[in-house]
Amino acid sequence: MRANGDLETKPQRTIVKRDDEFMREAIRLAREGMMSGQGGPFGAVVVRDGEIIGRGCNQVTSTNDPTAHAEVVAIRDACRNLQTFQLEGCTLYASCEPCPMCLGAIYWARPSRIVYGSFHSDAAGAGFDDQFIYEEIDKPREQRHIPMQQCLRDEANAVFREWIALEERIHY
């Protein structure tokens, strides 16, 4: 009790885990997924307000899904848990620097921050080399390893015009 008779209240403290604690969880998921045969040695978590809201480990080989990288799995889990398609105000922790596909997914999800463990060059040393993808992106379409061909542009663009005219569309 204070001298003036008022009850003394202690300020409430918000416990915020540090980056290394969340990164250790991403690394734990990488190891667990690898050891259980789910996929390669990659893990990720999505955190909002000090709480993990999405988890993922690489599941490429166990699901036969080349897009099932840890970051994508964690983003899908977080979005499902939050009932949204954007992760503003969240931090994504990945055991390794995201590959080009994951980086694209991360930018679409719009977290506020990315924290990663290993560099993509470290992953390359373990046989996960995505440098060729970076190089392919920089090439003109006609010089890429997988041929690309444009077809029916006017018909495809008609759908964009319909989207623009749709009054009840959800912007993202």
Side-chain angles (χ1 to χ4, degrees):
M1 198 172 259
R2 293 185 183 166
N4 66 2
D6 291 342
L7 288 176
E8 191 171 333
T9 58
K10 293 182 180 178
Q12 291 191 8
R13 293 187 329 160
T14 303
I15 299 172
V16 179
K17 292 186 179 182
R18 297 182 319 191
D19 286 344
D20 58 355
E21 293 178 63
F22 293 121
M23 182 56 67
R24 283 191 181 99
E25 177 62 10
I27 293 167
R28 186 191 71 74
L29 288 168
R31 183 175 288 113
E32 179 181 282
M34 173 185 70
M35 298 306 287
S36 66
Q38 292 184 63
F42 302 94
V45 296
V46 178
V47 175
R48 184 173 77 175
D49 297 329
E51 179 183 352
I52 296 175
I53 55 164
R55 288 179 164 80
C57 65
N58 183 289
Q59 299 175 6
V60 170
T61 57
S62 63
T63 62
N64 294 316
D65 179 354
T67 69
H69 289 201
E71 298 91 334
V72 173
V73 173
I75 288 169
R76 289 174 180 164
D77 187 41
C79 289
R80 186 173 34 254
N81 290 331
L82 293 176
Q83 298 288 298
T84 185
F85 55 87
Q86 294 187 341
L87 298 174
E88 291 151 343
C90 297
T91 299
L92 183 131
Y93 293 84
S95 63
C96 185
E97 183 177 8
C99 76
M101 177 190 71
C102 291
L103 194 57
I106 291 165
Y107 271 88
W108 278 114
R110 295 183 177 95
S112 298
R113 190 165 82 105
I114 305 166
V115 178
Y116 61 91
S118 302
F119 288 108
H120 71 269
S121 57
D122 299 322
F128 299 94
D129 193 357
D130 53 15
Q131 184 59 39
F132 76 97
I133 299 173
Y134 289 104
E135 293 168 5
E136 285 289 300
I137 290 169
D138 284 339
K139 290 180 182 178
R141 290 180 193 97
E142 62 277 358
Q143 293 179 12
R144 292 181 182 159
H145 182 73
I146 298 175
M148 295 182 73
Q149 179 180 338
Q150 190 278 321
C151 179
L152 298 177
R153 182 178 182 195
D154 290 339
E155 290 180 39
N157 280 340
V159 180
F160 287 134
R161 290 189 296 277
E162 293 169 22
W163 169 258
I164 292 167
L166 192 63
E167 290 183 24
E168 296 177 8
R169 70 182 181 267
I170 298 173
H171 295 273
Y172 61 98

